[in-house]
Amino acid sequence: MHSRVWVIPAAVATAAVIAAGSSAQPAPTRANLRDAPVEPVIVELFTAQGCAGCPEANARIEAVADEPGVIALTYAVDYWDYLGWQDTFARPEFAQRQRAYSRPLRLRDVSTPQVVIDGRRQVAGAQNAALKAAIEEEAARRVFPPEIEFRESGDQVGVGSGRAPSGGAEVVAVIYKPGPQTVQIDRGDNRGRTVRQVNVVRAVRNLGEWTGRPVLYDLPQGVEDGEAVAVLVQARGDRRILNGAVLDPH
């Protein structure tokens, strides 16, 4: 999935900056950017260490995480903590992100495990055949999404021009730890089990709005060694993800 990274040469990116200190500045034009690779499919898993049905879904997401053309992200939610085990990766904003999908996906409530693909559709419980079919269908859907490129210095990202969705879009940076992590569970429904999760998200940062014009955004500070940053261009209204790219850890 890391083959999706584009890089803006420093000289080109510097020339594009017209407002020092601004978090959103004009980006290079398409003519200045390298040829684009095929756009990835964004697979978001909402899971919890205290959820008895989640380890199987975790494993299925891990199985597709390294497939070409897939960016897999695991968000730990906190609403299972009442069962006695406080999730070590959960953040309230991750549950908020999951709830934001409820209306466009026409869901009455949220549940785990839940997989949301490209912000367009869900696969409850990450059923294996349904998951693979959904990824394949979304991969074939892409039609001229906005281009995403990272500056060579690793501190900025450019989003190119394109047709903005109704209501506009936002550019978000998802900070996560690539690869699997394991946690020994001492209480709750998974007591005595070792839970394994892949590409665990640590934080989500809003970089600014995208209205269809090329823009250069400052990447978030505080990314730790070994962490990666996935940049997503996402519609504000129906929450569909227009494109994504990953800046690998140095």
Side-chain angles (χ1 to χ4, degrees):
M1 67 184 178
H2 303 307
S3 62
R4 305 300 164 189
V5 177
W6 298 10
V7 177
I8 304 173
V12 175
T14 301
V17 177
I18 63 173
S22 174
S23 62
Q25 305 118 17
T29 64
R30 184 184 181 94
N32 292 328
L33 303 181
R34 299 178 183 179
D35 291 339
V38 177
E39 294 77 22
V41 174
I42 314 302
V43 178
E44 298 179 281
L45 169 65
F46 295 93
T47 186
Q49 295 167 1
C51 161
C54 287
E56 184 177 359
N58 296 348
R60 287 175 176 165
I61 296 304
E62 184 174 352
V64 303
D66 288 328
E67 290 187 2
V70 172
I71 296 177
L73 301 168
T74 296
Y75 300 84
V77 298
D78 58 1
Y79 49 81
W80 283 94
D81 290 0
Y82 78 96
L83 292 178
W85 174 258
Q86 186 171 358
D87 196 297
T88 60
F89 298 137
R91 299 288 185 275
E93 56 265 33
F94 301 162
Q96 292 173 7
R97 181 170 179 81
Q98 184 186 20
R99 284 192 289 269
Y101 283 122
S102 296
R103 183 174 180 180
L105 293 178
R106 298 180 180 180
L107 303 174
R108 291 185 177 181
D109 205 350
V110 298
S111 62
T112 56
Q114 180 188 29
V115 177
V116 178
I117 301 176
D118 277 347
R120 296 176 181 268
R121 60 200 297 178
Q122 72 142 359
V123 180
Q127 300 172 6
N128 194 41
L131 175 62
K132 291 183 177 180
I135 290 174
E136 292 176 358
E137 290 172 8
E138 289 303 318
R141 184 193 293 270
R142 292 293 192 272
V143 180
F144 304 112
E147 302 163 346
I148 300 174
E149 289 199 2
F150 293 97
R151 186 175 174 178
E152 285 183 338
S153 58
D155 60 352
Q156 290 182 309
V157 62
V159 176
S161 61
R163 184 176 179 179
S166 177
E170 59 188 5
V171 179
V172 297
V174 181
I175 304 170
Y176 69 97
K177 179 71 174 179
Q181 298 185 64
T182 59
V183 177
Q184 180 67 38
I185 309 301
D186 296 331
R187 295 181 298 278
D189 281 0
N190 285 327
R191 181 176 61 253
R193 300 182 66 176
T194 298
V195 171
R196 181 179 170 108
Q197 297 167 299
V198 69
N199 296 353
V200 175
V201 174
R202 181 174 66 82
V204 179
R205 300 284 184 263
N206 191 317
L207 303 185
E209 66 175 348
W210 181 78
T211 60
R213 296 182 177 181
V215 182
L216 191 64
Y217 303 88
D218 293 332
L219 288 172
Q221 301 292 316
V223 179
E224 300 177 359
D225 290 342
E227 291 183 334
V229 179
V231 172
L232 311 178
V233 183
Q234 187 163 30
R236 293 184 184 275
D238 61 15
R239 305 304 296 161
R240 58 193 169 94
I241 295 175
L242 309 179
N243 202 1
V246 172
L247 179 64
D248 285 315
H250 299 294

